[in-house]
């Protein structure tokens, strides 16, 4: 084979192709996106709840402690509803690694899939195909494109979370004084949404006594968050309280405060898991903090999947369904269901939670 | 040569075992058209990249940057799409960019005489870094359905995914190149002893450079397939995929020391790894066990041909 002439021929072909393509082609502007498929069929709220439904729970990755708790809630609901419930998933949380498991669930003729998506788009084609074959899809924790699932269970409304944190810090510092925020990374979408709403809340008259002096970023790294806490206290000697809307930051700040002269003088609150904060609640460093309960998320996911597979709901806005011990829920815009306001943990109730 | 055929027979036998056990364990689902379709999609990128990589390994070299080229190609497609380019223009440019990546690998190896293992570990990071510079952690997903269907739907009237048709065409091309052309004979000769190959008039550097360029171009094609299959252009697409491809090539009986291997063996290796993975997931085997089984199979794949080799190679040819 003469590589030189082959290369020359290849270059000529490529050049021709480029020339042709530049004349007309499919571009971002010319591409048609196609209509999104609507929810299928009509809901029958009186339909009997089916038993023996086969359900697959697909977390972002297996052996992730947070999703293990979500799974436990799902198992509980499946037990009550007499559904077959199993968990499976990839060992890495990369964008596309869940697709194999979605296809497998479709091949296994599962009635419903309950998943937390690693990527809102990469899993969408597989989900759409699976839905066409009759599988109901419920997303929780992290959503996908709205036309690729039936219902999305949102753990908490962003506003609820932000408002609750402002309430907690105001309470903790007695409504007066300098406060600071210790966040994750500067570009963390959910954190920034909360911080933005928190600032709006702080602008209200009832919080006039509170002054937000700094927003620090600990990058969701324990050591960095620890040092940022130290830095905040040195930079602002009058600091009365810190809000950390991330588990890593809250735990690191708790660790610093609990071993420093500021313990009991500087208030700390935010979002965290009971297991990581238990020690600091018991030693008085942290009074109250908040988070949603992941097991309730899984519980509600299985309840919604059962209602979908039984035909009680289709995912359309305004439909209502009963979710066992959690009561009744109404589906919001674009098939979204909000679990409810965040749970507040303190010394009185923290020992009831294990996650 | 006889020894290699024997290992391929072992692979084919294992494939039959997986197929039979699979259909018994899953009540026929494993061999159903629908499942085979997904299986085909699942292995598409690995299968594509394994083709040129087989030739690279036969020539005594390695390319660990393939998955990063895949990611760079995906990021480039997304970036140019956002910039308003036509897909008909973007796709050849992305393949060309992959070929350039391969050429950089090849030139560093052939002109500077650096070991390909070190060079491609370096470019593995470099190309992935460039992909991240291009697209950051964002995803581009608004590709038109006419293109994404290529990665998601079977050829009408069959259960064959389009990417597998593409693979079949390329596989024939690479099989002819490796086993029925003087270029292929040169590749084997270089892998067996590049010094001897050079003295017998083979243009060693030229052949190796061509192989790296081909690998880069095919990795970029795999990047396009990946992007269309998931309707998602991301810089981290295919992260870590290089190990799966190298694993499939070695399981397929290609000697990591060069000079020995067949494309048929590698295709059987890709099918075996993909089929076993599919079967175990379908059978609800846990992810931990899946990882253990895959690792054990790979060790067996490298170990057994070696054991067979020392037993079956005539005494006179032992080193």
């Amino acid at each position: 084979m003469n590589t030189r002439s082959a290369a020359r021929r290849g270059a000529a072909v490529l050049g021709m192709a480029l020339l042709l393509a530049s004349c007309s082609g499919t571009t971002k502007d010319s591409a048609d996106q196609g209509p999104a498929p609507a929810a299928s069929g009509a809901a029958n709220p009186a339909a009997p709840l089916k038993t023996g439904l086969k359900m697959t729970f697909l977390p972002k990755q297996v052996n992730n402690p947070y999703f293990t708790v979500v799974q436990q809630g799902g198992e509980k609901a499946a037990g009550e509803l007499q559904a077959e419930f199993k968990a499976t998933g990839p060992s890495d949380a990369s964008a596309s690694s869940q697709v194999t498991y979605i296809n497998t669930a479709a091949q296994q003729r599962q009635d419903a899939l309950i998943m937390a998506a690693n990527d809102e788009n990469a899993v969408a084609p597989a989900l759409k195909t699976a839905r066409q074959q009759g599988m109901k899809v419920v997303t929780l924790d992290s959503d996908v494109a709205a036309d690729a699932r039936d219902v999305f269970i949102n753990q908490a409304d962003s506003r609820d979370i932000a408002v609750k944190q402002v309430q907690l810090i105001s309470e903790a510092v007695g409504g007066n004084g300098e406060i600071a925020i210790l966040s994750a990374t500067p570009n963390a979408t959910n954190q920034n949404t909360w911080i933005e709403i928190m600032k709006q809340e702080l602008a209200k008259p009832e919080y006039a006594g509170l002054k937000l002096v700094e927003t620090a970023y600990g990058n969701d790294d324990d050591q960095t968050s620890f040092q940022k806490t130290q830095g905040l206290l040195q930079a602002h000697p009058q600091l009365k309280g810190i809000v950390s809307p991330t588990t890593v930051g809250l735990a690191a700040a708790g660790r610093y405060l609990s071993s420093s002269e500021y313990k009991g003088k500087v208030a700390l609150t935010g979002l965290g898991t009971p297991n990581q904060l238990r020690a600091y609640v018991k030693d008085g460093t942290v009074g109250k903090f908040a988070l949603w309960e992941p097991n309730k998320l899984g519980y509600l996911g299985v309840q919604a999947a059962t209602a979908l597979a039984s035909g009680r709901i289709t995912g359309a806005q305004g439909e209502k369904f009963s979710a066992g011990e959690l009561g009744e829920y109404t589906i919001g815009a674009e098939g979204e269901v909000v679990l409810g306001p965040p749970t507040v943990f303190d010394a009185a109730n923290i020992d009831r939670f294990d996650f | 040569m006889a020894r290699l055929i024997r290992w391929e027979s072992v692979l084919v036998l294992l494939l039959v075992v997986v197929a039979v056990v699979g259909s018994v364990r899953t009540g026929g689902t494993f061999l159903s058209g629908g499942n085979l379709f997904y299986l085909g999609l699942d292995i598409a990128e690995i299968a594509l990249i394994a083709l040129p990589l087989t030739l690279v390994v036969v020539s005594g070299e390695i390319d660990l940057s393939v998955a990063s080229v895949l990611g760079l190609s995906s990021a480039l497609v997304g970036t140019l799409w956002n910039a308003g380019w036509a897909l008909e223009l973007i796709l050849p440019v992305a393949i060309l960019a992959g070929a350039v990546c391969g050429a950089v690998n090849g030139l560093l190896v052939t002109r500077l005489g650096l070991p390909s293992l070190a060079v491609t570990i370096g470019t593995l990071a470099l190309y992935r870094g460039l992909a991240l510079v291009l697209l950051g952690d964002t995803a581009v997903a608004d590709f038109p359905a006419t293109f994404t269907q290529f990665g998601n739907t079977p050829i009408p009237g069959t259960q064959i995914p389009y990417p597998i048709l593409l693979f079949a065409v390329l596989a024939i091309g690479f099989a002819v190149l490796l086993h029925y052309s003087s270029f292929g004979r040169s590749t084997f000769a270089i892998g067996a002893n590049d010094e001897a190959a050079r003295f017998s008039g083979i243009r060693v550097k030229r052949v190796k450079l061509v192989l790296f360029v081909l690998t880069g171009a095919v990795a970029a094609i795999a990047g396009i397939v990946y992007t269309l299959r998931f309707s998602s252009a991301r810089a981290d697409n295919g992260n870590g995929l290089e190990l799966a491809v190298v694993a499939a090539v070695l399981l397929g009986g290609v000697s990591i020391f060069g000079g020995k291997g067949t494309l048929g063996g590698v295709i059987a290796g890709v099918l075996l790894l993909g089929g076993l993975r599919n079967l175990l997931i379908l059978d609800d085997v846990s992810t931990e066990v899946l990882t253990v089984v895959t690792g054990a199979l790979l060790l067996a794949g490298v170990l057994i041909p070696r054991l067979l080799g020392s037993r079956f190679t005539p005494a006179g040819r032992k080193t």
Side-chain angles (χ1 to χ4, degrees), chain B residues 150-207:
Chain B
F150 169 81
N152 285 312
T153 54
I155 297 165
T158 70
Q159 292 281 13
I160 302 165
Y162 282 104
I164 291 303
L165 179 70
L166 177 67
F167 165 77
V169 172
L170 286 178
I172 292 167
F174 276 103
V176 170
L177 191 62
L178 181 62
H179 296 298
Y180 302 100
S181 79
S182 61
F183 184 87
R185 281 189 292 280
S186 303
T187 306
F188 277 108
I190 292 166
N193 186 336
D194 62 352
E195 204 62 355
R198 195 164 61 83
F199 282 122
S200 59
I202 294 170
R203 305 174 78 167
V204 174
K205 289 179 177 178
R206 165 78 53 94
V207 169

Side-chain angles (χ1 to χ4, degrees), chain A residues 27-346:
Chain A
T27 62
K28 195 179 172 69
D29 298 327
S30 74
D32 66 302
Q33 297 304 313
S40 54
N44 173 15
L49 278 182
K50 288 184 183 166
T51 55
L53 289 169
K54 291 190 285 182
M55 297 190 190
T56 296
F57 173 60
L58 180 54
K60 286 189 175 183
Q61 64 184 123
V62 292
N63 300 324
N64 174 321
Y66 175 82
F67 286 109
T68 305
V69 182
V70 177
Q71 183 184 330
Q72 285 161 1
E75 277 163 0
K76 181 165 182 254
E80 291 171 11
L81 294 163
Q82 295 172 36
E84 281 177 44
F85 181 85
K86 66 176 180 191
T88 181
S91 53
D92 67 310
S94 76
S96 54
S97 49
Q98 289 177 315
V99 170
T100 309
Y101 293 88
I102 296 170
N103 292 336
T104 303
Q107 289 301 312
Q108 291 174 331
R109 302 269 174 255
Q110 297 288 297
D111 296 298
L113 179 74
I114 298 136
M115 74 175 293
N118 285 327
D119 182 299
E120 59 178 319
N121 301 308
V123 295
L127 287 179
K128 285 179 192 169
T129 312
R131 285 181 70 205
Q132 278 163 13
Q133 293 172 9
M135 193 168 75
K136 300 297 176 189
V137 177
V138 174
T139 50
L140 46 76
D141 184 76
S142 314
D143 200 9
V144 296
D147 60 345
R149 46 79 175 152
D150 296 279
V151 165
F152 168 53
I153 313 280
N154 198 345
Q155 54 263 52
D157 183 72
S158 295
R159 179 156 291 280
D160 286 349
I161 290 179
V163 169
K164 179 57 78 182
Q165 290 185 89
V166 174
Q167 276 173 11
L168 287 175
I169 191 68
S170 177
E171 222 175 276
V173 302
N176 267 303
E178 293 185 352
I179 57 165
I181 294 173
L182 176 65
S183 184
T185 56
N187 53 4
T189 319
N190 49 357
Q191 248 85 19
N192 287 347
T193 310
W194 296 329
I195 291 170
E196 193 48 46
I197 303 173
M198 282 163 76
K199 285 178 179 167
Q200 291 166 15
E201 277 294 299
L202 286 168
K204 290 183 176 171
E206 62 255 47
Y207 297 119
L210 294 178
K211 186 171 173 236
L212 178 62
V213 290
E214 190 180 338
T215 302
Y217 298 97
N219 292 336
D220 257 351
D221 173 73
D222 181 68
Q223 199 53 39
T224 313
S225 303
F226 187 84
Q227 286 162 359
K228 290 283 178 178
T229 311
Q230 199 171 11
L232 280 174
L233 291 162
Q234 275 163 9
H236 309 283
Q238 302 301 316
L239 199 69
K240 295 283 293 291
I242 297 173
V243 191
S244 187
T246 166
T247 290
V248 179
L250 186 56
R255 187 156 53 87
Y256 179 75
L257 286 179
S258 69
S259 59
S260 77
E261 51 178 307
Y262 303 103
K263 179 179 171 184
K265 293 176 189 152
V266 174
L268 176 65
T269 188
L271 299 179
T273 62
N275 285 353
Q276 277 182 290
L277 275 299
R278 198 178 315 277
Y280 309 123
V281 167
K282 301 230 160 161
D283 75 2
T285 310
V286 176
K288 291 178 177 179
F289 66 99
L291 197 69
W292 53 88
E293 291 176 56
N295 59 334
K296 285 188 183 170
L297 199 59
Y299 185 90
L300 183 53
V302 168
Q303 291 282 354
T306 305
L308 281 165
S310 304
R312 285 196 171 184
I313 55 172
T314 61
Q317 185 170 4
E319 289 174 355
K320 295 177 193 303
F321 66 99
S322 157
E325 63 181 39
L326 293 181
E328 192 177 65
Y329 280 84
T330 307
I331 298 172
E334 292 208 306
E336 189 174 312
V337 177
V338 178
L339 174 64
T343 304
V344 174
F345 306 96
D346 59 18

